[in-house]
Amino acid sequence: MDCFNKLGLASHPNTVRNMQKKACVDFDKLATEWKDVVVTREEKIRLLEEVLNLHSESIGEIDNGMEVCTIDFSKGAVSNCPNFSEAVYISCKQMLPESAVDLYEDTDFFSALYTLKGEMLPKFRLHVYGHAEEPFISLWTTCHEDIAIVKCPLGLQFLNPNKAAEMAQILQDIQSKYVPTVTNGGETEVLQKVFFDGDQLTEERARNCQWANTLARTPTERLEGITPAFADWHLKKNVPRGMCKMCKHRQ
């Protein structure tokens, strides 16, 4: 390769290597973006509900009241909320009508909450091919009653899934990167579980890791963000093949 580079027929090996590294920087961008969207939506819902609760004993009493309540949504008024952050606050303000003094009616908050809770987000399953060394993630979203499937490779795990400790490390790595979670009061809460598809042995190893951590303190330590599932690829492959053989035999 170096000789071809000197002749001007090829790039230098270091140049090719750097280009490959640059191309793989955001290889799991679709998966991480999905996680960020789920977490951001949940944080916005919690912040809006906290602000409503600050101005009323319960949301039910606001619904039953005849008068419209005015709510101060300025940064100073809501900065003490547990779920407050600068990014979430700005996102919530963008969903509310424009106001020069940051005063809004409670109906504006109900409308924003209704929009957030009714938003349809993509779902994804984590597919493990081979021996849990090359996981792939599949995202799909419903749009106009059509399902669009987008596959996003997650790279390689250079660990041995036959060993319980390394299989647990694989699950912990996947959960920390791709399972949406929020931290509230020092406790980590799983917002949405992810299906972990694999062959029968992979599913068994994953469930054994979860059972081994049953007595852990938090849901993330118990690996509750992952739901192992059995994907029988061999059956899907062999059944059509067997049907073709039967049809040929009858002919």
Side-chain angles (χ1 to χ4, degrees):
M1 180 67 73
D2 191 32
C3 296
F4 286 111
N5 173 251
K6 292 180 179 179
L7 294 173
L9 300 177
S11 300
H12 192 273
N14 292 337
T15 303
V16 176
R17 191 179 300 110
N18 292 333
M19 292 176 64
Q20 291 176 343
K21 289 182 179 180
K22 185 177 180 181
C24 296
V25 171
D26 297 328
F27 66 95
D28 58 350
K29 184 178 180 181
L30 289 176
T32 54
E33 284 182 349
W34 173 85
K35 175 184 175 181
D36 294 339
V37 168
V38 174
V39 173
T40 302
R41 185 186 71 164
E42 182 64 23
E43 289 177 342
K44 288 193 290 186
I45 291 174
R46 295 189 178 194
L47 179 60
L48 293 175
E49 289 180 345
E50 284 178 358
V51 174
L52 281 173
N53 290 329
L54 286 175
H55 293 78
S56 175
E57 294 181 359
S58 66
I59 297 178
E61 291 184 2
I62 296 178
D63 290 335
N64 296 328
M66 298 299 295
E67 297 181 358
V68 177
C69 178
T70 302
I71 297 176
D72 182 8
F73 196 63
S74 61
K75 185 183 296 186
V78 301
S79 59
N80 294 327
C81 294
N83 290 290
F84 174 84
S85 68
E86 188 72 23
V88 175
Y89 173 74
I90 294 174
S91 298
C92 289
K93 283 198 66 175
Q94 292 175 351
M95 299 189 66
L96 298 173
E98 294 184 3
S99 175
V101 292
D102 292 332
L103 293 177
Y104 304 92
E105 297 179 354
D106 56 355
T107 54
D108 298 330
F109 281 76
F110 290 127
S111 177
L113 286 171
Y114 179 81
T115 301
L116 287 171
K117 293 181 179 180
E119 185 179 3
M120 297 296 294
L121 295 180
K123 307 289 184 181
F124 76 79
R125 298 176 73 98
L126 184 66
H127 301 283
V128 181
Y129 296 100
H131 298 285
E133 296 175 355
E134 188 179 356
F136 280 81
I137 202 167
S138 293
L139 296 98
W140 61 89
T141 179
T142 303
C143 180
H144 301 295
E145 299 182 353
D146 294 330
I147 298 178
I149 299 177
V150 181
K151 290 187 177 181
C152 172
L154 301 182
L156 298 173
Q157 292 281 353
F158 295 97
L159 297 168
N160 186 1
N162 296 313
K163 298 180 180 179
E166 295 191 13
M167 185 63 186
Q169 189 174 346
I170 292 173
L171 296 180
Q172 290 172 358
D173 182 62
I174 291 173
Q175 181 175 253
S176 62
K177 289 182 178 179
Y178 308 115
V179 175
T181 58
V182 292
T183 303
N184 190 5
E187 296 290 335
T188 303
E189 178 184 351
V190 176
L191 297 180
Q192 184 169 330
K193 296 183 179 182
V194 175
F195 283 102
F196 185 77
D197 283 347
D199 56 18
Q200 196 167 3
L201 290 176
T202 303
E203 181 201 9
E204 180 184 0
R205 297 184 189 113
R207 291 191 184 277
N208 288 339
C209 289
Q210 290 180 324
W211 291 338
N213 292 275
T214 303
L215 300 179
R217 187 176 61 88
T218 63
T220 52
E221 292 176 353
R222 294 192 294 269
L223 301 175
E224 292 183 358
I226 295 175
T227 302
F230 174 41
D232 197 347
W233 300 306
H234 302 290
L235 179 62
K236 294 179 181 178
K237 180 180 178 181
N238 292 332
V239 168
R241 182 182 298 176
M243 294 177 65
C244 291
K245 288 183 178 180
M246 291 175 61
C247 293
K248 290 182 179 179
H249 180 71
R250 290 181 179 179
Q251 291 178 356

